[in-house]
Amino acid sequence: MPLVNNKVGNDCTAGADKNLADGRALVDSVIKVVACYRHLASCAGGCTDSLQLRDELRQTREKALTLAEAICRHLTSHLRDKTLPEDQRKEMELLWVAFTSSLELLHVDMCKVFNIGDTFSLTNTASLVQTGLQGGGSEVAARALSLADLNQEPPTLPAGLESQEQRAMEQEISQIDHMIDDMEKKVNVLRWMVEPRGPQYADPLSSTESASLALVSVDEEQPGHEPLFQRSFIFVLLLLLAVVLVAATLSVCLVLFS
């Protein structure tokens, strides 16, 4: 009878679970940072746009790129491992789809901020769109960047800073383009083939659907209460019967008096 080293097997299982947990934590972090960047990007070009907002966008963008590089290395190395168990591979593929989707959203928002930066310059605040919003996204950015507070005095705009920021953002957009292409070449995960798993992907009933189900259950529990469609059916039937009786009466009258 062959001997089985249980300690080695347990260590391998624990290591695989740790890798999966690390991947989940990284993907959750980048999703939050990308959501924060999208929130900040919605203020660009508006009346709340400022040098502080542009700086918060830059910090959030750098944080997202740092996480993206770490996630790309982590998921690529494990998905290219031929010895990865099937159940863990499916979980890694789910993380891969969530990560690539977030990366594409980040790319879209970065292109949006880049175009807005070309159109609306901070040197001429009168050209900003008066959206009616007040306040900024400093609190949101601080939570995403794990900082205590980002509220600062609005700094003055140094000469040539905007053009420098635009060039840096253009390079970062190209970096994400290259990262997405490189990921698709190294790992071939078809998104439409990846099935969601677990209760977190279940489709909960909305409040309207819950109310409808409650009304149906009440109707079923009350035998004397007729549903609405049944009353409508009876009304239409009686109306048709009345039309037939009137037509028959007219026919008889025509026969008798002709």
Side-chain angles (χ1 to χ4, degrees):
M1 181 177 179
L3 297 177
V4 179
N5 193 337
N6 293 329
K7 184 177 185 304
V8 174
N10 293 335
D11 291 342
C12 294
T13 304
D17 293 339
K18 183 180 182 303
N19 292 330
L20 192 59
D22 292 342
R24 287 198 190 102
L26 288 171
V27 173
D28 289 343
S29 298
V30 79
I31 288 174
K32 293 177 182 178
V33 175
V34 170
C36 168
Y37 189 83
R38 167 153 288 202
H39 175 78
L40 296 175
S42 64
C43 301
C47 56
T48 57
D49 197 356
S50 62
L51 184 58
Q52 181 179 349
L53 176 66
R54 302 289 177 92
D55 186 62
E56 291 168 359
L57 283 167
R58 178 187 58 79
Q59 294 183 49
T60 309
R61 186 170 61 248
E62 291 175 353
K63 177 73 171 179
L65 289 173
T66 303
L67 288 171
E69 291 176 354
I71 296 171
C72 184
R73 291 191 300 267
H74 182 83
L75 295 181
T76 301
S77 61
H78 288 88
L79 285 173
R80 297 184 70 181
D81 185 8
K82 302 299 183 181
T83 62
L84 189 67
E86 186 64 24
D87 56 341
Q88 294 183 6
R89 178 173 297 277
K90 290 181 179 180
E91 293 291 339
M92 287 289 183
E93 288 177 351
L94 284 173
L95 296 177
W96 180 269
V97 172
F99 168 59
T100 52
S101 301
S102 299
L103 201 60
E104 290 176 356
L105 288 176
L106 177 64
H107 181 269
V108 170
D109 291 334
M110 287 176 63
C111 292
K112 171 187 172 182
V113 173
F114 179 80
N115 294 329
I116 289 177
D118 281 340
T119 306
F120 300 97
S121 175
L122 293 179
T123 56
N124 183 17
T125 56
S127 64
L128 298 177
V129 179
Q130 299 301 316
T131 59
L133 296 177
Q134 295 182 355
S138 299
E139 296 81 3
V140 178
R143 288 197 298 269
L145 299 175
S146 300
L147 298 177
D149 192 6
L150 284 179
N151 289 323
Q152 304 171 0
E153 292 296 328
T156 57
L157 181 64
L161 179 63
E162 281 190 295
S163 59
Q164 181 180 355
E165 287 288 336
Q166 288 295 100
R167 289 193 298 269
M169 189 184 302
E170 188 174 9
Q171 294 177 358
E172 291 169 346
I173 292 174
S174 300
Q175 179 183 351
I176 290 185
D177 280 331
H178 177 73
M179 185 183 299
I180 293 175
D181 293 338
D182 188 57
M183 287 164 52
E184 291 178 350
K185 292 177 182 178
K186 290 182 178 180
V187 178
N188 185 21
V189 176
L190 304 178
R191 298 188 183 183
W192 55 89
M193 297 296 291
V194 178
E195 297 181 0
R197 303 171 63 190
Q200 67 270 27
Y201 299 104
D203 187 14
L205 292 175
S206 63
S207 58
T208 305
E209 293 172 337
S210 301
S212 301
L213 290 177
L215 290 175
V216 171
S217 62
V218 169
D219 291 338
E220 291 177 351
E221 290 175 359
Q222 297 178 358
H225 179 71
E226 296 180 352
L228 179 61
F229 74 91
Q230 187 175 356
R231 294 199 301 268
S232 302
F233 177 75
I234 295 174
F235 174 76
V236 172
L237 187 61
L238 292 176
L239 183 62
L240 290 175
L241 183 60
V243 171
V244 171
L245 290 176
V246 171
T249 304
L250 291 176
S251 300
V252 171
C253 291
L254 289 174
V255 172
L256 293 177
F257 296 101
S258 59

